[in-house]
Amino acid sequence: MAFNPINWLLGLFSLDIGIDLGTANTLVHVRGKGIVINEPSWVTIDKRTRQPLRIGLEAKEMVGRTPGNVIVVRPLRDGVISEFDVTQYLLEYFIGRVHEQSVVPLPRPRVVVGIPAGVTEVEKRAVYDAVMASGAREAYLIEEPVAAALGAGLPINEVRGSMVVDIGGGTTEVACMSMSGVVVSRSLRVAGDEMNHDIVQYVRNKYNLLIGEGVAEQVKMAIGSAFPLPVEKTYEVRGRNLVTGLPETIEVSSIEAREALAGSVQVIVDTIRDALDEAPPEIIADLMDIGICLAGGGALLQGLADRLADELNLRVWQAEDPLTCVVRGTGLVLDDFENMRKYLVGLERGSTRHDRA
């Protein structure tokens, strides 16, 4: 291929951005700088004009506190786009913030985005189009379990097998990998959000107390567990009594939180077991040495590694900083883009045809 000085200059001065476009949080990695943004995937919108008012952490703080003409939405549900225009606002805002951190004006960026492994072609197209519409020069997609495995440092390009379980806000991704490819994978829409909902329902059914999903998330992070704790804990929960209609405060124990989360945790355990059942025996033998890596925010649930190790008879370990594994994986792809293109999937700019009405 002939040397093109224009392309060389664009590569020298352009931004390369990796995005973990998560249901709960959006993380942005800039090549050469690391992770520069980690904010909730929330947008506050004016009902009448449909224009964004606040994005990220500021928007999340407004949940349940907005006047009638303002709504707070999460544009992604179960790991995929449910509100295209709002997702575009979200991406434009974060990409704009990255540009603001540069001392000189830069061309439009190349962007690599993590997507769940189980998404349809239509859902892939929605992510691709949203990224391009938000100002990207090029958009590439990478499956989240592959990005998580790269970010966790798993040897997925080697012959020996490895396995990652990426538990996010909307989806849980399970993948066995070998020789730079996925051998067996599972994607289910049971993850952090479903766990929050479980706690809301449990407190409502047992105590007739209505709490918000934000409070449920605090309970999950403070005392939620998948395995008995060395010392059980309690947490003060405030909400509205459904019988009297008055505010009420109760104490919930970690035993109760574990009972509330039992259903979702068991679904995740069963899904991993199904994937192991389908994996070749050679990969199972490799996993007995390497173990199973936990990534994503859901990996921070207390006792989850112990529960999985007990149920699956394999070593289970938590990746370093599991919440950022996917976005760090996109960063590794950008660092050595030409050699890492093999991990990208789907709708690359050069091979995509835009169908416009």
Side-chain angles (χ1 to χ4, degrees):
M1 182 182 293
F3 174 72
N4 187 324
I6 296 177
N7 287 341
W8 180 79
L9 285 172
L10 278 174
L12 188 64
F13 293 106
S14 67
L15 278 173
D16 286 346
I17 299 175
I19 299 178
D20 176 9
L21 190 60
T23 304
N25 295 285
T26 297
L27 292 88
V28 179
H29 181 287
V30 176
R31 184 167 61 89
K33 294 184 179 180
I35 300 169
V36 296
I37 294 172
N38 180 358
E39 291 207 22
S41 304
W42 288 88
V43 180
T44 307
I45 293 177
D46 186 300
K47 272 187 181 180
R48 185 176 56 83
T49 64
R50 295 292 296 175
Q51 292 300 307
L53 303 175
R54 296 286 187 276
I55 295 174
L57 183 59
E58 289 183 348
K60 185 178 181 180
E61 290 173 347
M62 295 180 180
V63 174
R65 301 181 175 94
T66 57
N69 64 319
V70 174
I71 55 173
V72 186
V73 298
R74 285 203 297 181
L76 295 107
R77 286 286 175 185
D78 298 328
V80 297
I81 293 174
S82 59
E83 298 267 359
F84 182 87
D85 293 342
V86 182
T87 303
Q88 185 179 327
Y89 292 141
L90 185 78
L91 288 167
E92 284 177 352
Y93 172 73
F94 288 136
I95 291 174
R97 278 182 52 183
V98 170
H99 275 281
E100 287 172 3
Q101 297 173 10
S102 301
V103 293
V104 294
L106 293 171
R108 295 190 301 165
R110 170 196 285 161
V111 180
V112 174
V113 186
I115 57 170
V119 299
T120 65
E121 291 300 317
V122 173
E123 290 165 341
K124 287 181 186 178
R125 167 67 65 182
V127 174
Y128 176 89
D129 287 346
V131 174
M132 292 299 292
S134 64
R137 180 178 86 253
E138 300 174 41
Y140 299 88
L141 310 179
I142 183 171
E143 291 182 339
E144 286 177 355
V146 175
L150 288 169
L154 292 178
I156 66 174
N157 60 334
E158 297 181 7
V159 175
R160 59 178 176 160
S162 56
M163 186 173 192
V164 65
V165 179
D166 176 27
I167 308 172
T171 60
T172 295
E173 310 284 333
V174 181
C176 294
M177 284 164 282
S178 175
M179 298 176 63
S180 304
V182 176
V183 180
V184 178
S185 69
R186 291 286 187 279
S187 180
L188 69 155
R189 297 185 177 185
V190 175
D193 285 351
E194 190 70 22
M195 294 180 187
N196 296 342
H197 182 69
D198 289 343
I199 293 173
V200 171
Q201 289 300 114
Y202 182 89
V203 173
R204 180 178 187 139
N205 294 337
K206 184 168 183 178
Y207 294 104
N208 284 320
L209 191 72
L210 182 62
I211 62 173
E213 291 201 5
V215 173
E217 186 177 24
Q218 293 171 12
V219 172
K220 179 183 71 178
M221 292 190 295
I223 62 171
S225 67
F227 204 70
L229 301 176
V231 179
E232 301 293 351
K233 309 171 186 177
T234 61
Y235 189 82
E236 192 176 84
V237 177
R238 299 174 181 178
R240 185 176 77 244
N241 188 295
L242 292 170
V243 177
T244 65
L246 299 175
E248 186 179 334
T249 301
I250 63 169
E251 280 209 342
V252 176
S253 71
S254 54
I255 297 172
E256 292 174 304
R258 188 160 57 251
E259 184 181 340
L261 297 172
S264 292
V265 171
Q266 190 59 51
V267 170
I268 293 172
V269 171
D270 292 342
T271 302
I272 299 171
R273 186 182 283 117
D274 288 345
L276 289 171
D277 189 48
E278 192 178 321
E282 290 80 4
I283 285 184
I284 298 297
D286 294 335
L287 294 180
M288 294 181 76
D289 292 328
I290 298 175
I292 298 173
C293 174
L294 295 181
L300 298 172
L301 182 67
Q302 299 176 79
L304 182 58
D306 295 332
R307 169 71 180 276
L308 292 173
D310 184 64
E311 294 252 7
L312 304 172
N313 199 31
L314 285 169
R315 182 172 73 92
V316 181
W317 52 281
Q318 188 184 104
E320 181 182 354
D321 195 9
L323 189 63
T324 65
C325 280
V326 171
V327 77
R328 283 189 283 124
T330 65
L332 289 172
V333 170
L334 290 168
D335 287 341
D336 190 10
F337 187 75
E338 290 306 318
N339 290 327
M340 291 291 212
R341 289 175 70 105
K342 60 189 175 185
Y343 296 117
L344 302 176
V345 296
L347 308 166
E348 297 186 7
R349 186 171 187 253
S351 61
T352 301
R353 178 173 59 87
H354 285 276
D355 296 318
R356 300 296 185 194

